[in-house]
Amino acid sequence: MNRLEQLKNSGNKAFVAYVMAGDGGLHRLKEQVQYLQGAGVSAIEIGIPFSDPVADGPTIEAAGNRALKQGVTLQKVLEELQSWTFDIKIPLLVMTYLNPVLKFGIERFTTECRKAGVSGVIIPDLPYEHKQLVQPYMDKENIKLIQLVTLTTTDIRLDEILREAEGFVYAVTIKGITGSRDELSQDVKTFMQKIRKKSPVPVYAGFGISKSSHVDMLRDDVDGFIVGSAIVEAFNAGKIEEIEPLIRAVTTA
């Protein structure tokens, strides 16, 4: 995750790309990661399909359902990552819900993540107050537990989360689930400015980021952007090259 800290220190913006592992078959994940790395993204968030994805909008939920029908599991994804022999130059993150981790075994999960070269884990339905359920195991394997903050997070709770934040802060731009949006609320700018002023680690805006106009609106207020639904849609439609202008809008301006 040092790469992301270096980007912040240099004043450059990070682009974190989300992909759903196994959408279209698990064999596609390798080529998707290679493509995104070659396209210049800063890190890749690999989603684990789950039957009750409470934070995901229709695009990512549909991708997860397609992956589940292919028999994709957390174990199979980690085994796939461990089998790769090509040079991965950017951080790999895993986004999973808590249930698959508990079923897999928390200690085993973190050990297998380390073997797979995973730098950070995002568990959106793990409340900050219960992070000790997994934090000690993450610390043991030197894997960052990424925290999410939202527009409805109270100031007291926000301060507590930021005090212990590691890797980066996942700052949610909307009140609701993931998915492409036409416009972002002006309240988001104020929210991002507040977080960034207090955060000891980079702050990345996620949920609903799908257009250059979103990037332009928040560029001065965050350290990077997380793009999910737009990338999942592009891969599914066979039009992933259409996402490249958005990557450039973040990383080269």
Side-chain angles (χ1 to χ4, degrees):
M1 303 288 273
N2 289 340
R3 178 186 176 93
L4 302 183
E5 195 68 42
Q6 290 167 1
L7 279 174
K8 177 183 178 180
N9 293 337
S10 66
N12 294 316
K13 305 300 179 183
F15 187 110
V16 180
Y18 173 98
V19 294
M20 174 60 73
D23 184 14
L26 193 53
H27 64 281
R28 294 190 63 201
L29 184 59
K30 177 180 177 180
E31 65 186 53
Q32 290 171 340
V33 168
Q34 288 176 313
Y35 176 87
L36 290 168
Q37 178 172 268
V41 306
S42 312
I44 298 175
E45 179 184 344
I46 297 172
I48 306 298
F50 182 52
S51 57
D52 187 22
V54 293
D56 293 325
T59 297
I60 292 178
E61 182 176 5
N65 287 336
R66 291 192 294 268
L68 289 172
K69 287 179 181 178
Q70 296 268 352
V72 176
T73 64
L74 173 58
Q75 179 171 340
K76 289 181 179 179
V77 174
L78 291 174
E79 288 174 351
E80 171 66 19
L81 298 186
Q82 290 172 17
S83 74
W84 293 348
T85 57
F86 68 95
D87 189 13
I88 302 174
K89 301 176 182 178
I90 57 177
L92 292 182
L93 317 169
V94 163
M95 199 293 275
T96 179
Y97 288 92
L98 185 59
N99 185 278
V101 175
L102 294 176
K103 185 177 179 181
F104 192 79
I106 299 170
E107 187 169 13
R108 179 183 169 215
F109 169 71
T110 54
T111 299
E112 295 303 312
C113 279
R114 175 184 53 77
K115 292 179 182 177
V118 172
S119 300
V121 172
I122 301 165
I123 308 177
D125 61 341
L126 174 65
Y128 166 76
E129 291 78 8
H130 300 296
K131 73 186 184 75
Q132 285 305 116
L133 188 65
V134 300
Q135 187 77 65
Y137 302 103
M138 297 283 184
D139 291 344
K140 182 181 177 183
E141 302 295 354
N142 195 28
I143 296 171
K144 306 301 185 186
L145 180 61
I146 308 302
Q147 297 293 329
L148 288 85
V149 296
T150 73
L151 291 160
T152 57
T153 302
T154 65
D155 286 343
I156 293 175
R157 193 164 185 268
L158 182 63
D159 287 343
E160 291 175 351
I161 292 173
L162 293 179
R163 194 176 302 121
E164 299 184 16
E166 55 184 16
F168 63 86
V169 173
Y170 195 133
V172 178
T173 64
I174 55 176
K175 296 177 182 178
I177 54 178
T178 63
S180 299
R181 300 291 196 281
D182 287 333
E183 301 295 337
L184 297 176
S185 164
Q186 285 296 322
D187 293 343
V188 174
K189 281 184 69 68
T190 305
F191 175 61
M192 295 298 170
Q193 290 166 357
K194 177 170 69 174
I195 301 170
R196 198 176 185 210
K197 192 175 295 183
K198 296 180 176 183
S199 178
V201 296
V203 175
Y204 297 165
F207 283 45
I209 304 296
S210 60
K211 298 181 177 182
S212 296
S213 59
H214 299 156
V215 172
D216 293 340
M217 175 183 171
L218 297 176
R219 175 176 298 282
D220 295 336
D221 308 310
V222 298
D223 301 298
F225 298 87
I226 302 167
V227 179
S229 295
I231 290 175
V232 169
E233 286 176 350
F235 270 129
N236 187 50
K239 298 179 179 178
I240 189 57
E241 69 280 354
E242 294 183 2
I243 211 71
E244 291 186 12
L246 185 58
I247 297 173
R248 290 194 295 271
V250 172
T251 60
T252 61

